[in-house]
Amino acid sequence: MIKQLFLITMLLFGAHFVFAQQTIEELKAKKAELKASLAEKQGEVGALEGELAGIQQEIDILSGWLTGFSGTIGFDFNQSNNWAASPNPDASATSLNVGLTAFANQEGRKHFWRNKGIVTKSWQDIDLNNGDTDDDDLFDNGTVDILNISSLAGYKLKDWLALSGLGELNSSIENFLDPGTVDIGIGATLTPIENLVVVVHPLNYHFAFSGLDSLDSTGAVGAKLRADYTKKLIVKDMAFNFSSTFTTFIPYQDEKMTVTLNDRTFETGLFNYTWLNTISFSIWKGIGVAVSGGIRQANFEFDGTQSYYSVGLSYTL
């Protein structure tokens, strides 16, 4: 009886082992089949995405002007009263930052016209209640003031290459062209990858308007380079927007000029660059949070590197 039970048990175990092996082999075969099907579907998705991009390009061409903007506003208020651990126990500080990036583009089969504007304005007021203070308010104390406007038009030789002309203004709102620069030039525009526009203009005239009494406004011929990159991503129903603009002027003959600033005397030229960036993500109906920042080197304005950053609420359309 025991031998019979042992034999039956072994037979059942063997049958289970054979069945399990068959099931594993079937699952492996099914897995390989699904992987092959997935690769095929991914190829189909890639082809559909390419077709959609082509259709969108035709829609853009036929629809005329494409416009959009994103804005940032940040507000901060701090106040302390008899806070002994602070170097200034009685003080208040208020800051406000407003930023706007807007574009208006027209895309044709053989031509394009791209216009972009970047505006950033910040104010900060600090009141130390430990002595006589000036009777001023927030808007009397500007800290950051940026105005960059560009207009780029071109005739397409290929999908990624065009002959182009560019006009660019780089200054501020409150002190318009005091200092500031204006560029007018021709050359080529390249679009090597999606969302990236690179301007290479070897024939460009650069007007430099000085904000210093010790330096006259001047101009020079040189090369103008500009790159604009924008990207929008949707991650879990949340929209991420990134915008970056880099612009520089390289004079062919950089004649040195003597500048006196804050009781310091130094030599400078017309070479300059500006790099402005904004990244934002929308939380609800275009409203979200944005971080902006930039650096600038222009020694005829200031001996050293200029920089700023801001954080605040944003709205993107």
Side-chain angles (χ1 to χ4, degrees), residues 59-135:
I59 291 173
D60 293 343
I61 291 173
L62 295 174
S63 62
W65 287 97
L66 295 176
T67 61
F69 77 90
S70 60
T72 305
I73 183 169
F75 183 77
D76 183 73
F77 177 76
N78 295 287
Q79 184 169 359
S80 62
N81 295 299
N82 300 318
W83 192 265
S86 173
N88 298 288
D90 298 296
S92 64
T94 307
S95 62
L96 175 65
N97 176 78
V98 179
L100 176 66
T101 299
F103 68 88
N105 299 335
Q106 187 182 66
E107 194 80 19
R109 289 184 174 87
K110 296 299 293 183
H111 77 280
F112 63 81
W113 189 8
R114 303 173 183 270
N115 303 280
K116 186 175 184 179
I118 301 172
V119 177
T120 300
K121 183 67 177 173
S122 300
W123 300 267
Q124 184 177 37
D125 182 44
I126 300 176
D127 183 14
L128 305 178
N129 297 321
N130 54 4
D132 294 334
T133 59
D134 295 333
D135 185 14

Side-chain angles (χ1 to χ4, degrees), residues 202-206 219-223 249-253 270:
L203 185 56
N204 182 92
Y205 194 82
H206 181 77
V221 176
F249 172 72
I250 306 171
Y252 292 136
Q253 291 184 345
L270 291 181

Side-chain angles (χ1 to χ4, degrees), residues 97 121 157 191 212 229:
N97 176 78
K121 183 67 177 173
L157 301 177
T191 52
L212 303 174
Y229 182 76

Side-chain angles (χ1 to χ4, degrees), residues 198-221:
V198 180
V199 176
V200 181
H201 284 179
L203 185 56
N204 182 92
Y205 194 82
H206 181 77
F207 301 88
F209 298 89
S210 172
L212 303 174
D213 294 335
S214 61
L215 182 63
D216 294 331
S217 299
T218 185
V221 176

Side-chain angles (χ1 to χ4, degrees), residues 282-297:
S282 300
I283 300 175
W284 178 73
K285 293 185 178 181
I287 300 174
V289 177
V291 180
S292 298
I295 58 175
R296 176 169 170 78
Q297 179 79 47

